[in-house]
Amino acid sequence: MVTMAGEVVDEIVAVAVWLRASDVHFDPVADHLAIRFRIHGKLIDADAVSHLTRTIPRQVVGRLKVLAKLSLAEQRRPQDGQVRLETPHGAVDVRVATMPTVRGERVVARLLPVDTQWRTVASLGLEPAHLHEVRKTAAKGGMILVSGRVGAGKSTTLHAILAERSQAGDSVLTIEDPVERKIDAYSQVEVDDRVGLTFAQGLRTALRQDPDVIMVGEIRDEATAQIAVRAGLLGHLMLSTIHADSVEQVVLRLLELGIDASLLASALQLVIWQTLLPVMCEQCRGYGCGACIGVGLVGRRAVFSLLRADGVVDVIEAVRGKKIRSYSLRSAQSQWRGERRLSVYGVLGTSEQDGGIAVAEQGEMDRTGYGVSPGRSE
Ligand SMILES: [Zn+2]
C-alpha cells in the first residue's frame, strides 16, 4: 500500500509542478481524499485541470507525512515538515502541513520549485519612481517594512532587496520561520519555539553579530517590534513584514504595539504594501481554455503602494494631533483619512502600469508559481 501511495504522491506532485501550482490541498472525504491545486491564486479541482482521474486513497496522507519526517502515530495534533522531491518537471521543495479534522487529517502541501530564482529589485514590477525610492532607501539603511496579505509576494520583495545588498558585499543575517530557501551568501537562522528561539530572541542575538542587513520574517509582537526599531536606529538595514491593510495601517499598528512615536519616526524609512492582481488569459478572456489549462488566468502581477519616511511622520502627527490613539485602528485611520488627503503624506501611490511588459516578467511572484501557464507555450 505504501508503494502504491508513494506512486500516487509522486504523480500528484509531478502534475502540480507541471501546472505551476503553488499548493496542493488533500481533503478527507468519505473513504478517499479530494485533491485541489492552487494555480495563480485560484483553487481548482484536480480533475478539472489534470489527467489525475483515479480516486486518491487516504494512505497518501501517511506517505506525505513519512516524506516530510512527521510522526505517523500523531493524528490529533497539527504537524509540519518539509521534503525536497525530484519530478520530471524539476525539483521542488514541499512543505507539508497537517491538520486534524472530524473527517480525518487534512494536508496542504506548499510547493516551491527549487530552480526558481528570486527576483531582483528591478524585476519586481515597481514603476520607476517606486524603484528609485526602494533602491535609495535600501542602500541607506534604517527600517523597511513590507506588508500585504498572505501570498502577496512579500518574501519576494524582501529577498530582492537582500540580494541587492548582498551583491554589494554587505553581510546579511536572516531570522525566518521557516527558512524557505537556503542561500549561501547569508547567515540564516530558523525560529524554534521549543528552544526559546523566537523572532525577538533571534533579532536580539543578531544585533551582536554585526550584520549590515537583518531580515526578520515577521513583526507580530511588541518585543520583536521594539528590537527591530532599535536595529533600524542603529543604522542596520532592517527588513521585515507586518500584517496590515495599507501602508498607513502599518504605522498605526506599530504605534498600537507600543512603539514610541519619535523612535518610530526616526527608524522607519519606507513602508511597502503590495497585492497580487490576477492576469486574465487573453485567449479566452477568463472563461478558461486550453492555453490557460481551463483556469482563465495566466498569472498574477504585483501592485505596490509606498509610504516614505516623511509620510510616516505625517501619519504619526495626524494620529497625535487628533489624540485618537485610544480609538480603534480603523476609526483612527478613517478620521485621519477624512482630515487630509493621502497624497499629502508622501504616499507614492499605487502602481498599476499595464501593457508593454510581458506577463512572464511581470506576473507571478512569491511561491505562487509563474506568470505563464505551461500549456500556453504548446
Ligand atoms: Zn484561456
Side-chain angles (χ1 to χ4, degrees):
M1 205 45 155
V2 169
T3 323
M4 190 248 191
E7 281 168 11
V8 176
V9 168
D10 287 349
E11 188 182 349
I12 293 168
V13 172
V15 170
V17 171
W18 180 73
L19 291 170
R20 316 289 202 213
S22 59
D23 303 81
V24 186
H25 292 217
F26 301 83
D27 277 307
V29 288
D31 59 347
H32 67 280
L33 292 170
I35 309 282
R36 283 180 296 174
F37 296 121
R38 190 172 293 284
I39 303 170
H40 307 320
K42 229 165 125 178
L43 207 49
I44 310 220
D45 283 331
D47 52 7
V49 287
S50 78
H51 55 80
L52 273 174
T53 46
R54 64 167 120 171
T55 305
I56 307 300
R58 283 202 172 202
Q59 283 78 1
V60 159
V61 165
R63 179 66 190 155
L64 284 164
K65 287 171 75 175
V66 168
L67 285 172
K69 295 171 225 47
L70 305 180
S71 159
L72 259 187
E74 182 58 78
Q75 297 188 2
R76 287 169 302 178
R77 266 190 293 225
Q79 300 184 73
D80 64 276
Q82 64 181 56
V83 58
R84 176 166 294 187
L85 297 176
E86 299 291 335
T87 81
H89 313 291
V92 64
D93 282 329
V94 185
R95 262 192 82 194
V96 176
T98 71
M99 189 169 127
T101 75
V102 290
R103 275 176 300 188
E105 278 182 297
R106 177 189 144 86
V107 176
V108 171
R110 172 145 280 197
L111 308 181
L112 183 71
V114 173
D115 59 356
T116 309
Q117 296 292 311
W118 288 107
R119 278 164 189 266
T120 61
V121 174
S123 69
L124 285 172
L126 288 155
E127 63 180 43
H130 288 187
L131 179 61
H132 174 72
E133 203 63 37
V134 171
R135 283 212 156 122
K136 195 180 73 183
T137 316
K140 214 168 55 183
M143 194 176 180
I144 298 181
L145 292 179
V146 182
S147 190
R149 291 182 208 100
V150 173
K154 299 188 289 290
S155 321
T156 305
T157 301
L158 287 179
H159 276 277
I161 298 173
L162 286 180
E164 193 150 297
R165 285 289 302 259
S166 172
Q167 279 152 18
D170 288 315
S171 128
V172 173
L173 202 155
T174 72
I175 303 143
E176 301 170 71
D177 180 23
V179 170
E180 278 174 18
R181 188 171 302 178
K182 295 193 179 94
I183 297 165
D184 290 340
Y186 307 169
S187 300
Q188 291 170 292
V189 176
E190 194 159 277
V191 162
D192 188 349
D193 290 333
R194 289 167 302 182
V195 296
L197 184 54
T198 58
F199 277 135
Q201 185 54 47
L203 190 48
R204 213 171 278 131
T205 313
L207 285 182
R208 295 185 215 117
Q209 296 285 320
D210 187 35
D212 300 301
V213 183
I214 308 174
M215 194 269 274
V216 60
E218 190 187 358
I219 292 177
R220 51 188 172 208
D221 54 43
E222 187 192 343
T224 312
Q226 296 284 10
I227 311 161
V229 166
R230 207 172 82 212
L233 289 172
L234 287 170
H236 303 277
L237 174 62
M238 173 70 227
L239 296 162
S240 191
T241 68
I242 186 165
H243 181 79
D245 292 331
S246 67
V247 284
E248 300 86 20
Q249 290 269 358
V250 167
V251 179
L252 296 170
R253 171 99 185 98
L254 287 162
L255 292 174
E256 191 160 275
L257 278 174
I259 300 301
D260 178 86
S262 56
L263 292 183
L264 184 61
S266 330
L268 186 52
Q269 297 302 307
L270 185 67
V271 182
I272 302 169
W273 192 89
Q274 63 184 86
T275 190
L276 293 180
L277 297 182
V279 176
M280 209 182 277
C281 172
E282 283 181 5
Q283 315 271 319
C284 66
R285 299 261 143 229
Y287 290 106
C289 67
C292 59
I293 43 165
V295 178
L297 307 173
V298 290
R300 289 187 293 170
R301 67 192 170 88
V303 173
F304 300 90
S305 304
L306 269 67
L307 187 70
R308 294 190 308 233
D310 53 346
V312 170
V313 171
D314 286 338
V315 174
I316 290 170
E317 281 178 358
V319 171
R320 269 180 170 170
K322 286 280 164 199
K323 293 190 171 47
I324 48 176
R325 282 291 299 280
S326 57
Y327 283 64
S328 72
L329 285 183
R330 196 167 290 280
S331 64
Q333 198 204 9
S334 58
Q335 255 188 283
W336 169 76
R337 264 186 201 279
E339 196 63 30
R340 292 160 79 178
R341 299 302 304 157
L342 280 181
S343 54
V344 179
Y345 296 96
V347 178
L348 285 169
T350 298
S351 106
E352 287 209 47
Q353 84 250 56
D354 212 341
I357 296 160
V359 170
E361 266 277 304
Q362 180 82 344
E364 202 79 355
M365 303 180 56
D366 213 359
R367 298 165 293 223
T368 42
Y370 302 81
V372 176
S373 64
R376 198 179 158 101
S377 56
E378 288 169 13

